[in-house]
Amino acid sequence: MDATQLLKGVLDLAVLAVLRDEDGYGYDILRRLRVAGLEEVGDASVYGTLRRLFNSGLLNAYVVPSDEGPHRKYYGLNAAGRAELQRSGKIWHEFRGTMDDLLGERGTA
């Protein structure tokens, strides 16, 4: 099974999850995803996801000046984003439970 195909299906949820407790700018969000174990995630995928989530009204954005380079655009969850995180997280847990049952791994994961 190709992990990149699975990643495409859950990248929105993963990005919302890493923004749950702390706002972040593009590269920081990418780094957090990779540290969490999603090493295959690409830069362009994350930046595209951030734009799409922002345009969908799930994220707030603001610019912070930087003394060390260009200004950074930070993203954070708003109320709609938190609601989507909760909704999508529930769907993920239900799906994972179904797959665990199908694979005979319920209670061992």
Side-chain angles (χ1 to χ4, degrees), residues 1 6 10 15 17 22 24-25 33-36 51 59 61 64 68-69 74 76 78 80 85 94 97 99:
M1 174 174 283
L6 292 172
V10 298
V15 168
E22 182 180 3
Y25 57 94
L33 289 167
R34 288 180 175 164
V35 166
R51 273 192 305 279
L59 300 178
V64 174
E68 302 172 7
Y74 278 75
N78 58 28
L85 174 60
E94 290 170 358
M99 290 306 299

Side-chain angles (χ1 to χ4, degrees), residues 2-74:
D2 185 4
T4 57
Q5 291 301 314
L6 292 172
L7 183 57
K8 286 180 185 179
V10 298
L11 188 55
D12 286 9
L13 177 58
V15 168
L16 292 173
V18 299
L19 290 172
R20 176 182 37 231
D21 297 324
E22 182 180 3
D23 295 355
Y25 57 94
Y27 183 75
D28 175 56
I29 294 165
L30 176 65
R31 181 192 57 77
R32 286 194 251 169
L33 289 167
R34 288 180 175 164
V35 166
L38 300 178
E39 293 92 4
E40 302 86 14
V41 69
D43 300 21
S45 296
V46 171
Y47 287 103
T49 297
L50 288 168
R51 273 192 305 279
R52 193 169 21 75
L53 292 173
F54 175 75
N55 289 335
S56 296
L58 301 176
L59 300 178
N60 294 326
Y62 55 95
V63 175
V64 174
S66 173
D67 294 333
E68 302 172 7
H71 299 332
R72 292 182 174 154
K73 186 173 188 177
Y74 278 75

